[in-house]
Amino acid sequence: MKKELRVLIIEDVAADVVLINHELRRGGLAFRSKRVDSREAFLHELQHHPPDLILSDHGLPGFDGFSALAIAKDKCPDVPFIFVTGTMGEEVAVQTFKSGATDYVLKNRMGTNLIPAVQRALREAEERLRHKQVEQALRESEARFRMLVEGVKDYAIFMLDADGHVTSWNSGAEWIKGYRASEIVGQNFSCFYKREDAQLGKPEQALKLAVVEGRFEEEGWRVRKGGVAFWADVVITALRDDVGKLRGFAHVTRDFTERRAAEETRARLAAIVEFSDDAIVSKGLDGVITSWNKGAERIFGYTAEEAEGQPIALIIPEDRRGEEEWILKQLKQGECVDQFETVRLRKDGTPVQVSVTVSPLKDGAGNVIGASKIVRDITEHKKAEAAVRESESRKSAILQTALDAIISIDEHGSVSEWNPAAEKIFGYPRDEALGRHLDELIIPLSLRQIYREGLAEYLLTGVGSLLGRPIELTLTRVDGSEFQAELAITRVSDCLYTSFIRDITERKRAVEELQKSEERYRMLVENVEDYAIYMLDPEGRVATWNAGAERIEGYQAEEVVGQHFSCFYSTEDRALGKPELALKTATTAGRFKDEGWQLRKDGIHYWASLIITALRNHSDQLYGFAKVARDITKHKEAEAEIRRLNADLERRVVERTAQLQAANKELEAFSYSVSHDLRAPLRHISGFTEMLQSNSSNRLDEEGRHLLDSIAESSRKMGQLIDDLLSFSRMGRVEMNRLPVNLAELVKTVCRDVRHDCEGRNVAWQVATLPQVRGDAALLHQVMLNLVSNALKYTRPRTEARIEIGCHDTPAETVVFVRDNGVGFDMKYVDKLFGVFQRLHRASEFEGTGIGLANVRRIIARHGGRTWAEGVPNEGATFYFSLPKAMEEKI
């Protein structure tokens, strides 16, 4: 409470004011009071002398107490307002509190009621103030945290859902990964991996390890937008709710490309020191060489054994000997000789252009005892200079292509640099921005005074509130429109500062959407009904209770909170100590998982799957348990039913297998019958027909000879049909010999086999490069022979037959095709192509029995592949078959 209160009294009777002051002093309050009796005086005091407490009569001749209350609620809503009045009926008392008054005191009871009412009102006001201060501090803390996360550019910090999809995106992620939030939110984070790493399943492995271990950390290559790779330090942390359920992942990435390059550079420097290409030579003050490295051997041609102990003049031309005298003089004064260009001699006498740096060598007492020389070819030096210029050019390119506004200002706030991103964000061309004050360009009018006061304070005290930390604020563009931005100022020198500014309008919108999403998630968890999710204190008493727990266990929250969770166990299980064992196991191992009978409120048992997880704070102290239970009674019943059905299915499979074996034996018997019983009468028909043709054809008229020829032709076709049918029947029983098969060689063999069908025809072959596959060479030869023969047959009406043989790969199989420009077929009959005796053309047009394509399908099916066809009438057809790559991998 304040040391001295300011009390404002609205009262037209001075004597009553004296009584009020008397009671306040008697209550021990330190105060100063002011009496007013008009609206104007009341408003004047509120504006110029804000009170800590307002005491008011109900009715004044020129000013009503309820009007004063309304004004006070508008001007100073946190100041307590107490009516001190003569009389007050029930309706007026109700109206008093409805209007927002803190309390009321009757004048005839001031001696007992005024001080308690005032003290109570002041305590409540102080409590409200304290609460507001706490809320304000919390809001400021949350804002600082958001600014910290969102303002960090060196770290890509973003969230993933449980399946690895991006759900949040900070400015560092945009800076490092190159994606805006609108482009990446909702995408799977595997897009940050190299393609080969993603195909190997590395993203999924990282999430699995994070789930099991709690976090996953590695350094490796990642990919920015556009496919540019960078070396990253990655930490993925599994996020779980209070009951241990996985909510998603926190993903933090840092670009370590430069650090890795620096480490490699340091390693290279160490190697340079050890095996430097530069000549590193030491000598005494007498000019005698004392050390000679590999670089010196390479540059000058002398080995260390040849050079050490010799005078340094060994490598100095006569016209340059004066340089050594000058160097010796500098060394004796303890001074270094900075890099200078000169000429030295190799062992073979040829001169070499070098740059030389000389440093004095001192003993423990600081006396110069010699010199160390570093000698480098000018050629390499020039190359290094060119590399530096190229590096500076890259830095300039970065400045020009940066997505953030980069603005340099002097100590007066005038712009000295304005990059293209600044032009794009603020709308001012560079030439127009240079030399102008930064506040005139980007600071809204309402904030300019604050900005200037901050700049003046910094120039006066040297303390800058914006230096070295990013902040969010409102900025303005050339058209006057305002937007939310992130700004950070870095001091480059005493009179030069660089501002980095990023438009975060979209990011703010994304944050709002994320907050809405999180709220929906919390609502979902709190209202889930399929799981009983609740908390236990360290002794096992129920502390929270969700809707699912109420539905599954049968208790209302007020019935069970505070009760020991052993009430969910049967009397027998409690006697065996199962509840205590569950908590003990969870405490020791971190979690306890079990399936068993649990007891509802109504005494009915149900089969439950439950997990109890120990909850610990940062000091590893146990503060409770999370329990998740699910009713799987129906699931258990379904499992029992499935076991019964599986047993019945196994019995049926045995029966059907026996039936199938019997059917196969009958099929073999049928094949034997066709092979022997049908061929005998067919041979008789064919033989007698030949006898008639040779002995009696001259006694038959033309029609008789035609009928005899028809009988002979039909007999031949019947024999071919029997042969093809037997071949088709045997195809399913032929033992396969899977070996590597060169398709290219196989196709060459097939083309030789059909060369007689090509005689007298114009056939254009187009055969692609064919791979090696695994299969039965003889059977695959029959497949290709059938398909190529078909292509030759159905292109016979064409002046030029075009036959193409090719293939293409899929991840799972190799697909081979034979394409022709023949008569084709209607796709509505495609299902008939591979059936036995199914033909789409008349025998008078094209010969055949309708068995060839059926054999193709059966052979490819035995290889585990597929067959299909595409065609257009009078435009040609394409026949495909595939072979699984699982076979090829064994080659």
Side-chain angles (χ1 to χ4, degrees):
M1 192 173 294
K2 293 176 62 176
K3 189 172 183 181
E4 184 178 73
L5 298 174
R6 184 182 295 276
V7 181
L8 183 59
I9 303 175
I10 306 171
E11 178 62 67
D12 59 339
V13 179
D16 288 347
V17 174
V18 173
L19 290 174
I20 291 172
N21 288 338
H22 173 72
E23 292 299 331
L24 294 178
R25 290 192 187 93
R26 194 166 65 86
L29 296 180
F31 69 95
R32 285 186 297 167
S33 67
K34 174 70 175 181
R35 181 177 72 89
V36 296
D37 57 4
S38 67
R39 176 187 181 90
E40 292 73 17
F42 181 58
L43 288 172
H44 180 271
E45 288 299 318
L46 292 181
Q47 182 177 359
H48 295 91
H49 308 288
D52 299 308
L53 175 67
I54 300 174
L55 303 177
S56 175
D57 196 354
H58 258 112
L60 281 71
F63 190 31
D64 178 71
F66 284 109
S67 299
L69 175 59
I71 293 172
K73 289 296 137 185
D74 179 53
K75 302 294 185 182
C76 51
D78 294 326
V79 176
F81 191 105
I82 301 175
F83 279 111
V84 182
T85 184
T87 59
M88 182 178 290
E90 182 179 348
E91 292 184 1
V92 177
V94 172
Q95 184 183 359
T96 294
F97 289 110
K98 283 186 175 180
S99 300
T102 306
D103 207 342
Y104 74 89
V105 176
L106 297 178
K107 290 181 178 180
N108 58 3
R109 296 183 181 178
M110 280 196 297
T112 57
N113 294 345
L114 181 60
I115 287 301
V118 168
Q119 290 176 337
R120 183 169 55 252
L122 292 175
R123 282 197 304 272
E124 291 175 354
E126 186 176 1
E127 183 64 28
R128 286 195 298 273
L129 176 61
R130 230 179 358 252
H131 182 68
K132 286 185 178 180
Q133 290 172 342
V134 171
E135 287 184 342
Q136 179 64 24
L138 180 59
R139 285 194 293 271
E140 291 175 355
S141 174
E142 291 176 347
R144 286 194 297 270
F145 178 75
R146 286 194 300 272
M147 289 169 61
L148 174 64
V149 173
E150 294 299 333
V152 169
K153 289 186 179 179
D154 291 337
Y155 292 86
I157 304 173
F158 52 94
M159 304 290 290
L160 306 174
D161 64 16
D163 297 320
H165 298 95
V166 177
T167 59
S168 72
W169 197 248
N170 81 327
S171 60
E174 183 174 330
W175 179 273
I176 292 173
K177 301 288 190 180
Y179 295 92
R180 292 185 177 275
S182 56
E183 298 176 299
I184 198 63
V185 171
Q187 301 297 319
N188 192 280
F189 85 117
S190 59
C191 65
F192 305 140
Y193 284 75
K194 286 186 173 182
R195 180 178 299 176
E196 55 268 26
D197 290 342
Q199 290 175 346
L200 291 172
K202 288 190 176 181
E204 295 79 8
Q205 294 172 8
L207 294 188
K208 288 180 180 178
L209 287 173
V211 170
V212 174
E213 303 293 338
R215 72 195 302 269
F216 168 80
E217 183 172 2
E218 73 164 352
E219 286 190 15
W221 289 109
R222 294 295 186 271
V223 179
R224 293 187 177 92
K225 179 182 178 182
V228 178
F230 67 99
W231 189 261
D233 175 71
V234 177
V235 177
I236 301 175
T237 305
L239 302 178
R240 299 181 181 276
D241 57 20
D242 294 337
V243 297
K245 182 177 180 181
L246 183 68
R247 296 176 54 191
F249 303 89
H251 193 297
V252 181
T253 302
R254 190 174 185 186
D255 186 348
F256 271 6
T257 307
E258 291 184 0
R259 192 191 76 173
R260 186 168 187 261
E263 290 174 350
E264 292 174 351
T265 300
R266 284 194 293 271
R268 287 196 299 271
L269 289 175
I272 289 172
V273 171
E274 185 70 20
F275 305 102
S276 175
D277 288 336
D278 293 339
I280 302 177
V281 180
S282 297
K283 67 172 185 173
L285 292 178
D286 57 359
V288 175
I289 298 171
T290 58
S291 69
W292 187 266
N293 77 332
K294 296 291 184 182
E297 291 184 356
R298 183 188 63 80
I299 293 175
F300 298 112
Y302 295 98
T303 65
E305 290 78 8
E306 293 173 323
E308 291 175 358
Q310 298 295 321
I312 195 67
L314 181 70
I315 61 172
I316 301 176
E318 290 187 6
D319 60 345
R320 299 279 180 167
R321 300 283 170 86
E323 292 176 355
E324 282 301 302
E325 296 178 2
W326 170 71
I327 291 172
L328 181 61
K329 180 180 178 181
Q330 299 293 109
L331 292 174
K332 288 181 177 180
Q333 296 175 358
E335 297 179 359
C336 296
V337 178
D338 291 336
Q339 181 177 339
F340 68 96
E341 296 179 5
T342 186
V343 177
R344 293 292 183 262
L345 294 177
R346 294 189 174 96
K347 181 179 180 180
D348 59 7
T350 59
V352 55
Q353 292 285 330
V354 296
S355 77
V356 180
T357 300
V358 186
S359 301
L361 296 176
K362 299 180 180 181
D363 61 14
N367 299 316
V368 177
I369 60 173
S372 173
K373 291 187 176 183
I374 299 178
V375 184
R376 175 175 293 181
D377 285 352
I378 289 296
T379 305
E380 296 300 324
H381 176 70
K382 295 301 182 183
K383 289 180 179 179
E385 287 182 345
V388 171
R389 288 194 296 272
E390 183 180 352
S391 175
E392 292 299 323
S393 176
R394 285 197 298 270
K395 292 178 181 177
S396 177
I398 291 172
L399 180 65
Q400 295 299 312
T401 58
L403 298 176
D404 291 343
I406 303 176
I407 304 170
S408 295
I409 56 176
D410 60 20
E411 71 273 21
H412 303 296
S414 297
V415 176
S416 59
E417 183 55 64
W418 187 267
N419 76 330
E423 293 184 345
K424 182 178 179 181
I425 291 174
F426 295 104
Y428 295 96
R430 184 174 185 274
D431 294 340
E432 185 178 337
L434 295 179
R436 294 180 62 181
H437 281 275
L438 185 63
D439 60 339
E440 296 177 1
L441 298 173
I442 69 173
I443 306 298
L445 285 172
S446 59
L447 300 177
R448 286 184 187 175
Q449 185 60 33
I450 299 174
Y451 172 83
R452 290 168 180 166
E453 290 174 356
L455 179 60
E457 181 181 358
Y458 171 72
L459 294 175
L460 182 64
T461 64
V463 178
S465 61
L466 297 182
L467 293 180
R469 64 182 185 90
I471 64 168
E472 291 184 8
L473 72 168
T474 301
L475 299 179
T476 185
R477 297 186 175 91
V478 66
D479 60 4
S481 61
E482 296 184 354
F483 66 99
Q484 289 293 306
E486 181 182 79
L487 178 144
I489 299 178
T490 302
R491 181 165 60 188
V492 180
S493 65
D494 290 340
C495 57
L496 184 63
Y497 305 84
T498 298
S499 300
F500 296 88
I501 301 172
R502 174 171 293 178
D503 185 347
I504 60 171
T505 306
E506 292 300 324
R507 189 182 76 192
K508 299 289 284 186
R509 185 178 296 113
V511 169
E512 292 175 0
E513 291 298 324
L514 177 61
Q515 290 172 343
K516 293 178 182 177
S517 174
E518 290 177 346
E519 179 63 24
R520 289 194 295 269
Y521 176 76
R522 284 195 296 272
M523 292 175 62
L524 175 64
V525 170
E526 291 170 359
N527 293 284
V528 66
E529 293 188 354
D530 289 338
Y531 291 85
I533 305 172
Y534 51 93
M535 304 286 293
L536 307 175
D537 66 14
E539 286 72 38
R541 292 186 293 269
V542 177
T544 66
W545 197 249
N546 81 326
E550 182 176 324
R551 185 186 69 82
I552 293 174
E553 307 286 4
Y555 294 92
Q556 299 287 330
E558 56 270 17
E559 296 176 304
V560 76
V561 170
Q563 300 297 318
H564 197 273
F565 85 115
S566 58
C567 64
F568 308 134
Y569 286 79
S570 66
T571 304
E572 296 81 3
D573 288 343
R574 288 199 298 272
L576 292 172
K578 285 190 176 182
E580 292 76 12
L581 178 61
L583 295 188
K584 184 177 180 180
T585 303
T587 302
T588 305
R591 68 199 302 260
F592 171 77
K593 187 175 182 181
D594 191 22
E595 286 188 7
W597 292 108
Q598 294 277 283
L599 192 65
R600 291 191 176 94
K601 176 185 175 182
D602 56 10
I604 296 176
H605 288 78
Y606 71 96
W607 191 266
S609 170
L610 60 91
I611 297 176
I612 299 176
T613 304
L615 304 176
R616 298 182 180 274
N617 59 21
H618 296 300
S619 302
D620 201 35
Q621 293 178 333
L622 181 72
Y623 66 86
F625 302 89
K627 180 177 178 183
V628 181
R630 188 180 185 188
D631 183 353
I632 60 171
T633 307
K634 293 183 179 179
H635 176 70
K636 282 292 184 181
E637 294 172 350
E639 285 183 347
E641 180 64 15
I642 289 172
R643 286 194 292 270
R644 186 188 65 77
L645 292 174
N646 283 339
D648 184 57
L649 180 60
E650 290 177 1
R651 179 182 57 78
R652 292 189 180 188
V653 167
V654 171
E655 294 176 354
R656 293 299 299 272
T657 301
Q659 295 173 1
L660 182 60
Q661 291 173 343
N664 284 336
K665 291 181 179 179
E666 291 177 2
L667 180 60
E668 291 177 0
F670 171 74
S671 300
Y672 180 83
S673 174
V674 169
S675 176
H676 295 81
D677 297 347
L678 293 182
R679 283 187 182 278
L682 187 62
R683 282 196 297 270
H684 292 165
I685 294 172
S686 179
F688 291 140
T689 302
E690 289 179 2
M691 291 173 60
L692 287 172
Q693 285 177 325
S694 59
N695 300 329
S696 304
S697 61
N698 57 351
R699 288 180 289 185
L700 297 174
D701 57 14
E702 183 177 351
E703 182 179 0
R705 286 192 299 272
H706 174 70
L707 292 174
L708 195 59
D709 290 341
S710 296
I711 292 171
E713 178 63 20
S714 297
S715 176
R716 186 189 64 77
K717 286 184 178 179
M718 185 63 180
Q720 183 63 43
L721 279 173
I722 291 172
D723 290 341
D724 289 347
L725 183 59
L726 288 174
S727 175
F728 181 76
S729 175
R730 287 194 300 271
M731 194 62 64
R733 302 192 303 274
V734 172
E735 182 178 354
M736 290 181 61
N737 187 18
R738 286 194 173 93
L739 294 170
V741 177
N742 189 322
L743 280 181
E745 293 299 326
L746 186 145
V747 169
K748 288 181 182 178
T749 303
V750 169
C751 290
R752 286 195 298 269
D753 292 344
V754 298
R755 63 183 181 274
H756 296 296
D757 294 339
C758 300
E759 293 178 357
R761 295 181 59 187
N762 183 12
V763 180
W765 296 89
Q766 182 178 348
V767 181
T769 301
L770 299 174
Q772 183 172 267
V773 296
R774 191 176 184 86
D776 187 295
L779 295 179
L780 292 179
H781 179 275
Q782 187 170 350
V783 168
M784 291 303 301
L785 181 62
N786 277 329
L787 295 179
V788 171
S789 298
N790 259 16
L792 286 170
K793 177 168 61 177
Y794 290 107
T795 56
R796 199 175 293 145
R798 300 292 184 249
T799 304
E800 181 188 55
R802 293 193 303 275
I803 298 175
E804 180 184 355
I805 303 173
C807 75
H808 63 268
D809 280 337
T810 70
E813 58 188 4
T814 299
V815 177
V816 182
F817 64 86
V818 177
R819 181 176 291 123
D820 64 65
N821 66 332
V823 298
F825 62 87
D826 193 331
M827 285 295 290
K828 67 182 179 181
Y829 302 118
V830 69
D831 293 335
K832 295 184 176 182
L833 281 176
F834 295 95
V836 179
F837 301 134
Q838 298 289 336
R839 306 190 72 241
L840 302 185
H841 301 86
R842 293 189 300 272
S844 59
E845 294 179 305
F846 299 101
E847 70 279 4
T849 60
I851 297 294
L853 289 179
N855 269 335
V856 168
R857 170 158 286 182
R858 196 163 194 183
I859 292 170
I860 296 303
R862 293 196 65 193
H863 281 77
R866 303 176 296 126
T867 52
W868 68 98
E870 298 171 354
V872 178
N874 295 319
E875 293 186 17
T878 304
F879 288 84
Y880 300 88
F881 68 86
S882 69
L883 296 171
K885 285 188 173 180
M887 296 180 182
E888 297 176 27
E889 292 173 357
K890 300 176 183 178
I891 295 177

